[in-house]
Amino acid sequence: MDAAQATALFQNAGVDPNADSLKDDSPPKPSSQPTSPEESIAKIHVPLGYRVDIVACEPQVLDPVAFDWDASGKLWVVEMADYPLGMDGQGKAGGRVRVLEDVDGDGRYEKSQLFADGLNFPNGILAWRDGVLVTAAPDLLFLRDTDADGKADVFEVLFQGFNQGNQQLRMNGLRWGLDNWVYCANGGHHAKHGLGIHIESKRNGKKYELGSRDFRFNPDSGELEVESGPSQFGRNRDAWGHWFGTQNANPLWQYVLPDRYLARNPYVPTVSPIRHVIPSGSPPVYPASPLEKRYHSFEQSGRYTSACGSTIYGDEVLFPLIRPTEKNASGPEPDHSFTCEPFHNLVQHNWMKDDGVSYAAVRPDNEGSIDFFASEDRWCRPVMVRTGPDGGLWVADMYRYMIEHPEWLPAEGKADLLPHYRLGDDRGRIYRVMPSLQPKSAFPNLAKANTVQLVHFLKSSNIWVRDRAQQMLLWQNDKQAPELLEESFQKNASPTNRVHILYALEGLSKLRPTTLLGALQDAHPRVRENALRLAERSTNDDVVVQACKLATDTDDKVCLQLALSIGQWPSNTAGEALVLLAKRFADNPYMNSAIMSSALTHQKVFARGIATAEPSIVASFREPLLRQSIGRSDMGTVAVLLDSVLSLPEPNRTIAAYELLHSMNSVGAHLSQLAQTDTQGLLKPAMFKLEQAWNESRQVADNFDLDPARRVAATKLLLCSSRHREFAIASLAEWLKPQFDPQLQAQVLQALQRSAIDQVPNILSIAWNEFSPDLRGLAIDAWLSREAWTIDLLQRLEDKQILPSGISLTQRASLVQHPNKSIAQRAKLLLSQVRSTTRPEVLEKYRKALQLTGDSMRGKAVYQKSCASCHRRGEEGNEVGPNLATIVNHAPDKLLTNILDPNVDIQPGYQAYTCLLDTGEILSGILVSESANSVTIKQANGMLRSIARGEIEKLQNSSKSFMPEGLEETISIQEMSDLIEFLRQ
């Protein structure tokens, strides 16, 4: 590297090349040195009974981050040689695709051919027809060699428009799905760059909006469909078509609810479509290497911080199974997941147990104190694992001195590591883990297989072999294939074989109703589950009837899929099956969302069935069904729901009626307005009952001898009546006096916040001086929930009726990041009078805390006061920001920096969002997930709020950390020392 390149590298990394810390002529040496492939493999630990083979290494392969095999067994490797800042430190593309061959069949690739060069940070690859698909944002490419010289001469852009930015967050992956689509992860840029990602298909000319979701596409036609997501690096499936993703601190989740189903019902927001199979929030890892210095905020050595490249193992070689016989085919089969953690030089293995609609992972006890694949070599950087065609676990080792991207490093880290950003770019390894006694096995060669042989390959225990055979059957489109597949299906095929046959027949447009009927009655639940997905396309009445019979199935995943599929069949039989599922799974949030995704197709049958169900079942579906009914202007169902709550015994009637009427108001459909549009008079009987309930509530609210909780509930219901509202407001204001139970007062504050009544700010200001600190926090939340109320709050702050000390740091952040720019500017000017120092000045002042002796017991009290609202530690606090169990080994100086300057390193997923609803309500928090019909916001108190897209007026990303600046205003220097001591215990 010459002087100009070095200067450019420094500037692009955000480091002043003239800084004093960098003027030493001799740059700091790496803390460790690279080793040869043979030396490095000796440092890799695997459990007893396994071995690690070198499949390929430098110079045959460099910087491998993804790979795939073609039908002949050649290994195609993506090399991200330009990581992290380009070949010249200024973003110059230099990624490569290389083709490796094992010419002598000894299990090691000795022949290497450069297929393509100069690609823009490529990170995903899939062998496709006579070429390869490659992800290289902003493009998704199809590379081909048409002149047989071993190098790509066709660089076709299939899709264009993907976000670039940080190389760790770009779209990636490429995996074949059972359903004959190619799936891709969208990366992690949504949280920083917004939701409007528009992708253009160059083959069909269409444009698609992804948002923060993954996608599937047809490379031949150019069609693209949005999927639930996103996964940061790697989206993979198991043998049954369940998809899984990962992101830095979250090693494995399942996409329980596919986005295409949720999109059908725009009126009902859904739960987050993902479920964490391995606990979220940086769970532990067990490295063989010594703990390494951390530069990230709120991650540490010893916990997941760079989870990526996960896979669900797909063969029997590593973990021999006794496959269930046909007589006992319903027994659960163990699944094994592997997740890379390159910062800690390891790959973790978890056993995935069946757990209702999803899975729960546990680490095997017999693997000892370190993880399944763990290297002592600090340069070993596993970034992707896959099941090889030979049944081995193949591991891509990028082999770099540093794997962290400079963007995540504060100034100290950038200065320390700048000379080492590219160390290791001349190296790279791919390993294979096999049982020790397993001989090297030759790959099955599918390249020259005929149709009979390809059908036979579908029987393989290996997921890659089955997938490739299925692809080739579709590409060859042999007329005799359907008959051969049907014959194989009837000959006692294995469950995985039967599933692939079904999708191959469907891909060839030859799936017969009789075959589908048999599959719906299959002994194995995963075959039944996949048969349901395929039955969605069927118009055969017998198929639909048989599918709906599975509403009584004993397998939860089958029932979940049925709940999703029923929305494709408009028959009454399907609607009645949906009601049955609702009654069986009323308390399961994933099932509820799946059921409501189909309920729009069966509005009348479903509403009638729910309204006459048990009260607990009605309660579970009342609000979503109400939202749907209002959206469809179905006054009959609204009347039924209103009548159902007014028929409940007390006190349930008053509470349920208030919640129902509030739900109406929250979607802008006030009961009085609905009554005016009710031309058929369907609401009249229920309205009469409601008037009676209001009159009775007035008597309860006025009766001082009754239980206070009952009186408050009655008063809240009166808020929903224009005739009784003034009385209700005056009564609720009385409850805010200090003589009453704070828990009841909290309910009153919530009711006032929900009411959107103009008098609320004045009521809050009158009671302010008598509020406890907790109630003051709730009162400020109420002020901030509406723009007009926020303006009132600012005026009271300026008039010194309320002091800034009564506003938490998170609430201050909401003010200065307000979507109304004039409010934000006004807040900044007002609050800047309190905070006159810069972050560097604050850090310099508080460095004294590092020389003091901290007390962990006093530090716990500081945590409870200043941190617990957003950070969980053990059994305390709310898990909005990262779990504080992840920072035990964090260096004190780094803790200090991260606490006082949270914007120095904002991890994906922790940016602050502001959501303005069409009702005027304002929400602040982090964006947890988004689907086709809703987004989910986690607020500062840890509460999740799912919002239908139709209710959103504006969703804004602040590009700031949700953790606010200014903690020094509430913590002294000694308290900071105490807090750091507590956090490191």
Side-chain angles (χ1 to χ4, degrees):
M1 182 184 299
D2 59 29
Q5 288 177 314
T7 299
L9 185 62
F10 273 73
Q11 292 172 340
N12 199 45
V15 177
D16 180 3
N18 297 314
D20 291 339
S21 61
L22 300 175
K23 288 182 178 179
D24 190 344
D25 292 336
S26 57
K29 295 181 179 180
S31 60
S32 61
Q33 296 299 316
T35 60
S36 69
E38 289 72 24
E39 291 172 326
S40 183
I41 200 171
K43 295 177 179 289
I44 297 173
H45 296 258
V46 291
L48 185 66
Y50 294 89
R51 71 169 191 270
V52 182
D53 301 325
I54 296 176
V55 172
C57 61
E58 67 270 13
Q60 280 75 24
V61 66
L62 309 173
D63 297 313
V65 296
F67 53 87
D68 193 24
W69 304 264
D70 65 18
S72 66
K74 293 179 182 177
L75 182 63
W76 295 74
V77 183
V78 160
E79 301 178 338
M80 193 186 279
D82 36 9
Y83 182 83
L85 298 174
M87 304 301 288
D88 59 354
Q90 294 182 308
K92 179 181 178 181
R96 302 178 289 256
V97 173
R98 194 176 297 276
V99 189
L100 304 179
E101 289 186 68
D102 177 9
V103 179
D104 57 11
D106 66 350
R108 185 161 176 167
Y109 292 87
E110 66 277 355
K111 182 179 178 181
S112 177
Q113 169 71 52
L114 182 63
F115 184 74
D117 199 2
L119 303 179
N120 191 39
F121 299 97
N123 57 6
I125 190 166
L126 179 72
W128 184 261
R129 294 190 181 272
D130 61 344
V132 287
L133 303 171
V134 176
T135 53
D139 302 328
L140 200 160
L141 304 168
F142 182 33
L143 309 183
R144 300 169 60 216
D145 170 20
T146 61
D147 57 10
D149 66 348
K151 296 183 179 181
D153 50 68
V154 174
F155 290 72
E156 180 185 359
V157 177
L158 296 183
F159 298 91
Q160 191 169 63
F162 297 97
N163 254 321
Q164 296 187 67
N166 186 287
Q167 290 78 16
Q168 292 185 358
L169 305 180
R170 300 183 178 202
M171 65 99 179
N172 61 86
L174 299 173
R175 291 290 184 270
W176 173 256
L178 277 173
D179 54 7
N180 304 312
W181 290 74
V182 175
Y183 284 70
C184 195
N186 195 16
H189 274 303
H190 70 288
K192 184 173 183 180
H193 298 282
L195 305 178
I197 303 175
H198 295 272
I199 305 304
E200 180 182 1
S201 170
K202 295 298 185 179
R203 287 209 166 180
N204 65 20
K206 296 180 181 179
K207 290 187 177 181
Y208 304 89
E209 183 172 353
L210 288 185
S212 61
R213 290 166 286 169
D214 295 341
F215 60 98
R216 65 177 185 173
F217 66 97
N218 184 321
D220 297 334
S221 68
E223 289 297 310
L224 181 148
E225 292 186 1
V226 174
E227 288 291 322
S228 298
S231 179
Q232 182 174 324
F233 190 75
R235 180 186 176 111
N236 292 276
R237 66 168 173 85
D238 63 10
W240 313 113
H242 303 132
W243 287 92
F244 300 83
T246 186
Q247 179 269 331
N248 276 0
N250 304 307
L252 193 71
W253 63 64
Q254 183 194 350
Y255 299 101
V256 180
L257 301 172
D259 199 77
R260 60 186 178 275
Y261 296 113
L262 304 181
R264 297 178 305 195
N265 194 336
Y267 308 115
V268 181
T270 63
V271 298
S272 173
I274 68 173
R275 180 184 179 187
H276 290 277
V277 176
I278 300 174
S280 61
S282 298
V285 294
Y286 305 92
S289 52
L291 298 183
E292 185 174 353
K293 182 178 181 180
R294 289 296 301 151
Y295 289 99
H296 278 267
S297 66
F298 297 109
E299 275 90 17
Q300 66 150 58
S301 296
R303 288 184 176 268
Y304 269 109
T305 178
S306 58
C308 62
S310 61
T311 196
I312 310 301
Y313 180 68
D315 207 334
E316 302 174 8
V317 174
L318 282 187
F319 310 100
L321 305 179
I322 300 175
R323 289 282 170 176
T325 64
E326 288 302 303
K327 293 181 180 180
N328 186 30
S330 61
E333 302 173 15
D335 281 310
H336 302 267
S337 70
F338 292 91
T339 302
C340 294
E341 168 55 28
F343 182 82
H344 291 92
N345 326 107
L346 61 83
V347 178
Q348 187 174 87
H349 167 222
N350 281 276
W351 178 43
M352 291 169 46
K353 300 188 298 183
D354 190 82
D355 187 29
V357 298
S358 184
Y359 297 91
V362 294
R363 184 172 177 268
D365 293 332
N366 61 354
E367 289 184 6
S369 59
I370 58 176
D371 275 316
F372 183 87
F373 177 104
S375 177
E376 298 176 41
D377 186 351
R378 289 258 46 139
W379 294 57
C380 177
R381 304 296 185 181
V383 293
M384 178 174 286
V385 288
R386 294 193 65 181
T387 306
D390 56 0
L393 185 72
W394 291 52
V395 183
D397 176 6
M398 193 176 183
Y399 207 82
R400 288 289 188 97
Y401 175 67
M402 62 169 289
I403 199 69
E404 290 176 294
H405 194 282
E407 183 176 325
W408 309 135
L409 303 176
E412 176 201 350
K414 290 179 181 179
D416 280 358
L417 295 174
L418 182 59
H420 311 317
Y421 282 178
R422 294 186 55 80
L423 289 184
D425 64 352
D426 57 346
R427 299 168 188 264
R429 290 92 195 258
I430 298 177
Y431 306 109
R432 174 180 53 221
V433 181
M434 295 286 274
S436 300
L437 301 180
Q438 181 79 18
K440 293 182 174 67
S441 56
F443 280 13
N445 191 335
L446 281 69
K448 298 181 180 179
N450 58 31
T451 303
V452 173
Q453 292 168 323
L454 289 175
V455 170
H456 177 76
F457 278 128
L458 290 180
K459 298 179 181 180
S460 173
S461 64
N462 185 274
I463 192 170
W464 182 91
V465 173
R466 296 194 305 270
D467 284 353
R468 185 65 68 188
Q470 181 178 326
Q471 289 176 9
M472 296 181 69
L473 283 167
L474 301 188
W475 295 340
Q476 293 181 5
N477 198 18
D478 188 341
K479 292 182 179 180
Q480 68 170 329
E483 181 180 350
L484 292 170
L485 289 166
E486 287 280 3
E487 181 181 350
S488 180
F489 188 85
Q490 303 302 328
K491 286 186 176 180
N492 201 28
S494 69
T496 53
N497 185 195
R498 293 199 295 276
V499 167
H500 278 275
I501 289 173
L502 290 172
Y503 282 104
L505 287 167
E506 195 271 342
L508 294 167
S509 300
K510 297 295 183 181
L511 180 57
R512 299 187 305 183
T514 53
T515 305
L516 201 47
L517 280 168
L520 288 167
Q521 301 173 72
D522 197 277
H524 198 283
R526 302 287 76 80
V527 179
R528 300 196 299 275
E529 180 185 357
N530 280 279
L532 282 168
R533 294 176 190 151
L534 292 166
E536 294 171 9
R537 305 168 180 83
S538 178
T539 58
N540 184 283
D541 290 341
D542 292 338
V543 168
V544 174
V545 169
Q546 183 59 48
C548 291
K549 289 180 180 179
L550 295 178
T552 60
D553 201 281
T554 57
D555 185 88
D556 286 1
K557 294 181 180 63
V558 171
C559 292
L560 176 71
Q561 185 57 51
L562 178 61
L564 295 166
S565 299
I566 279 176
Q568 303 303 112
W569 308 314
S571 69
N572 284 345
T573 300
E576 291 164 359
L578 193 65
V579 172
L580 178 56
L581 288 171
K583 292 178 178 179
R584 290 186 60 195
F585 296 97
D587 58 349
N588 187 304
Y590 294 105
M591 286 295 299
N592 282 5
S593 288
I595 288 165
M596 292 310 302
S597 78
S598 292
L600 207 57
T601 306
H602 305 283
Q603 171 81 1
K604 292 184 178 180
V605 174
F606 185 71
R608 183 174 64 248
I610 293 301
T612 57
E614 294 292 326
S616 62
I617 297 170
V618 177
S620 294
F621 290 96
R622 183 181 292 126
E623 181 175 345
L625 189 52
L626 175 72
R627 287 173 173 269
Q628 177 177 298
S629 301
I630 292 174
R632 293 285 296 272
S633 298
D634 180 1
M635 292 302 104
T637 300
V638 174
V640 169
L641 291 170
L642 187 56
D643 184 76
S644 70
V645 301
L646 295 172
S647 301
L648 294 172
E650 288 292 6
N652 295 338
R653 181 187 69 172
T654 299
I655 296 171
Y658 167 71
E659 291 297 336
L660 187 74
L661 294 175
H662 168 68
S663 296
M664 289 184 179
N665 296 341
S666 68
V667 295
H670 300 279
L671 186 59
S672 58
Q673 297 171 339
L674 291 177
Q676 293 175 7
T677 63
D678 180 24
T679 57
Q680 296 180 336
L682 299 175
L683 289 173
K684 283 186 177 180
M687 289 290 291
F688 179 76
K689 281 188 176 182
L690 183 58
E691 286 293 341
Q692 289 182 312
W694 276 328
N695 290 333
E696 292 173 16
S697 293
R698 178 67 179 261
Q699 296 174 11
V700 171
D702 266 338
N703 191 336
F704 289 84
D705 294 329
L706 294 179
D707 176 52
R710 185 179 174 190
R711 293 179 59 212
V712 168
T715 309
K716 287 163 60 179
L717 179 59
L718 293 172
L719 268 179
C720 303
S721 166
S722 58
R723 184 160 57 91
H724 298 285
R725 187 168 298 134
E726 290 301 322
F727 167 81
I729 294 170
S731 296
L732 289 174
E734 289 296 314
W735 285 103
L736 294 179
K737 293 182 178 180
Q739 292 84 1
F740 296 108
D741 183 353
Q743 292 186 350
L744 286 178
Q745 291 180 309
Q747 292 182 30
V748 169
L749 287 173
Q750 183 190 51
L752 289 171
Q753 178 177 333
R754 284 176 159 189
S755 71
I757 296 170
D758 294 340
Q759 299 97 309
V760 169
N762 192 52
I763 293 172
L764 298 177
S765 67
I766 292 172
W768 177 258
N769 288 333
E770 295 183 314
F771 278 154
S772 66
D774 288 344
L775 291 176
R776 284 191 172 194
L778 294 175
I780 297 296
D781 284 343
W783 255 304
L784 294 175
S785 67
R786 297 187 178 275
E787 187 171 293
W789 297 1
T790 303
I791 294 172
D792 177 89
L793 174 63
L794 290 175
Q795 186 62 52
R796 295 180 191 279
L797 284 165
E798 290 170 349
D799 294 342
K800 295 185 170 46
Q801 295 177 22
I802 295 175
L803 299 178
S805 58
I807 303 176
S808 73
L809 296 178
T810 302
Q811 291 165 338
R812 293 186 197 188
S814 296
L815 274 170
V816 300
Q817 296 165 10
H818 199 280
N820 183 317
K821 292 183 179 179
S822 64
I823 290 178
Q825 186 61 32
R826 188 175 170 186
K828 288 177 184 176
L829 290 173
L830 180 62
L831 297 176
S832 66
Q833 299 170 15
V834 179
R835 186 186 309 158
S836 58
T837 53
T838 64
R839 291 298 93 195
E841 290 172 335
V842 171
L843 280 168
E844 185 60 33
K845 175 182 177 181
Y846 271 76
R847 288 197 186 281
K848 298 175 184 177
L850 303 179
Q851 277 75 54
L852 300 177
T853 300
D855 182 284
S856 63
M857 292 301 295
R858 295 197 305 259
K860 182 177 182 179
V862 178
Y863 156 75
Q864 292 169 333
K865 176 185 73 171
S866 301
C867 310
S869 61
C870 288
H871 293 285
R872 192 164 183 81
R873 166 80 178 227
E875 299 301 318
E876 293 187 79
N878 298 312
E879 198 151 343
V880 181
N883 192 307
L884 296 187
T886 65
I887 61 171
V888 174
N889 291 339
H890 210 70
D893 59 332
K894 290 311 302 168
L895 280 175
L896 183 71
T897 299
N898 297 145
I899 291 170
L900 295 177
D901 193 4
N903 290 307
V904 74
D905 167 27
I906 311 173
Q907 293 297 297
Y910 294 115
Q911 289 89 351
Y913 276 80
T914 302
C915 185
L916 175 62
L917 306 186
D918 56 12
T919 59
E921 185 179 3
I922 299 172
L923 302 174
S924 296
I926 60 175
L927 185 67
V928 175
S929 66
E930 92 169 292
S931 65
N933 70 346
S934 61
V935 299
T936 301
I937 300 285
K938 182 181 281 190
Q939 298 172 278
N941 58 4
M943 296 295 292
L944 293 175
R945 178 86 174 266
S946 292
I947 309 143
R949 289 189 178 276
E951 300 172 35
I952 298 173
E953 183 173 314
K954 187 176 183 181
L955 183 64
Q956 179 175 303
N957 181 351
S958 70
S959 296
K960 296 288 185 69
S961 171
F962 189 60
M963 179 178 175
E965 296 179 351
L967 199 65
E968 70 279 1
E969 296 170 25
T970 63
I971 297 180
S972 68
I973 294 175
Q974 179 60 59
E975 287 176 326
M976 179 63 73
S977 178
D978 297 336
L979 176 62
I980 290 174
E981 182 65 22
F982 169 69
L983 293 177
R984 300 188 73 236
Q985 291 297 316

